[in-house]
Amino acid sequence: MNFKDQPIISMRNFSREMIDHILAAAEKMEPIARGEERSDLLSGKILAVLFFEPSTRTRMSFETAMLRLGGDVLNLGSVDASSIAKGETLADTIRVVDGYVDAIVLRHPKEGAAHLASEFSSVPILNAGDGAGHHPTQTLLDLYTIKRESHLEDLKIALAGDLKYGRTVHSLCYALSLYGAQITLISPKELRMPEEIINDIIAKGAKIKEVDTIEEAIKDVDVLYMTRIQKERFPDPAEYHKVANKLKITAETLKEAKPELKIMHPLPRVNEIDNKVDDTPHACYFKQAFYGVPVRMAVLGLVLGAIE
Ligand code: CP
């Protein structure tokens, strides 16, 4: 399987074989990610980190992945301190930065920005989130978490929260359809999963059910994937206030859950998971954030041609 020099833009381009290949590579990276083994696999390689939106996990786990593999990181830093503040276009920025580095990680508020960047770049673009579009490495780490902490075969999963604007759930749905997962969608009616995504994933093999409350789904599922209602994606703040706080997991909600239920969240959370849930065996979201490191190590190793 050849990932060398390939951009990673959307999960729509991935087959199940490609995903399984990356997850297997990530498993081998885990001891290095934990600092138990050292590696110079990416020695001499430089990764540019261009974030036009805030991030903690994606940015830092890409940087950690590169450093743990002996590579270097060049961070654009604050957009306000770069020439973008003088009006430089994304295309021109990419055409300049690709001369400095071996791969570029890009987060941008506009859907399609990573695809556009890949048309101007001579090095692989890794999409770290493009507006309400896709976030493919998040999906890969989500799948890795499900594989490590639950199971990908015969999976029953509920996705809850902002299913309209949530790029992590859009990407995850495409990938889960390749595994024939039973997916229950839980959201306020204003934040339903877009119809075209539902139709696409049903055509790919997923079984879909839509419900309004977590309580209707909690008894049956192996994984409950919560997401934040994203205030920053609402054109009208009044619309946000109508739906904020509608879905929340508390210890009470979990009384009916299977003992082996895992709760995932791409984070950051606002108040959709009560802190008391953190102390239950169901909480999986901090492990999930760690798994971003081995998964992004695998992706970097593959696109930079250091592993096959
Ligand atoms: N999960 C995720 O994308 O988190 P950050 O916004 O902190 O990168």
Side-chain angles (χ1 to χ4, degrees), residues 193-214:
M193 178 76 70
E195 202 66 35
E196 68 270 21
I197 298 183
I198 294 185
N199 292 338
D200 261 12
I201 57 180
I202 289 174
K204 283 178 189 292
K207 297 162 202 82
I208 302 284
K209 194 162 84 176
E210 286 187 285
V211 299
D212 298 321
T213 63
I214 294 173

Side-chain angles (χ1 to χ4, degrees), residues 249-251 254 269 273-280 283 285:
I249 305 179
T250 62
L254 293 170
R269 65 176 154 181
I273 302 179
D274 191 279
N275 287 349
K276 290 201 180 82
V277 176
D278 301 355
D279 301 326
T280 72
Y285 24 93

Side-chain angles (χ1 to χ4, degrees), residues 55-58 107 135 138 266-267:
S55 168
T56 297
R57 281 146 290 274
T58 312
R107 172 170 289 186
H135 192 353
Q138 177 70 43
L267 302 178

Side-chain angles (χ1 to χ4, degrees), residues 10-166:
S10 156
M11 286 315 289
R12 290 186 205 214
N13 314 116
F14 277 78
S15 66
R16 182 169 165 167
E17 290 69 30
M18 290 161 83
I19 294 170
D20 287 340
H21 189 77
I22 295 175
L23 303 192
E27 206 153 351
K28 290 189 194 138
M29 295 291 183
E30 256 204 62
I32 308 168
R34 293 186 190 284
E36 293 158 7
E37 291 176 18
R38 295 183 69 83
S39 170
D40 59 1
L41 193 69
L42 296 182
S43 171
K45 300 287 187 191
I46 304 177
L47 176 71
V49 176
L50 272 59
F51 275 59
F52 292 69
E53 273 192 339
S55 168
T56 297
R57 281 146 290 274
T58 312
R59 184 174 58 76
M60 293 190 74
S61 62
F62 261 117
E63 291 183 353
T64 304
M66 200 63 191
L67 297 173
R68 289 273 194 214
L69 291 174
D72 287 302
V73 173
L74 195 58
N75 194 328
L76 175 76
S78 153
V79 167
D80 292 342
S82 76
S83 284
I84 295 154
K86 300 179 209 161
E88 186 161 48
T89 63
L90 177 63
D92 280 0
T93 304
I94 294 293
R95 278 189 282 211
V96 170
V97 174
D98 78 354
Y100 304 155
V101 299
D102 302 290
I104 298 173
V105 183
L106 175 70
R107 172 170 289 186
H108 198 280
K110 290 235 165 67
E111 203 168 328
H115 177 72
L116 177 94
S118 71
E119 295 194 329
F120 290 96
S121 181
S122 62
V123 300
I125 297 288
L126 309 176
N127 182 7
D130 58 333
H134 288 268
H135 192 353
T137 60
Q138 177 70 43
T139 297
L140 291 166
L141 81 86
D142 292 340
L143 294 169
Y144 186 74
T145 306
I146 295 169
K147 186 179 170 200
R148 291 281 275 104
E149 304 295 329
S150 183
H151 50 89
L152 275 168
E153 301 298 330
D154 301 320
L155 179 72
K156 291 183 183 165
I157 183 167
L159 310 179
D162 177 0
L163 307 184
K164 180 177 179 183
Y165 298 112

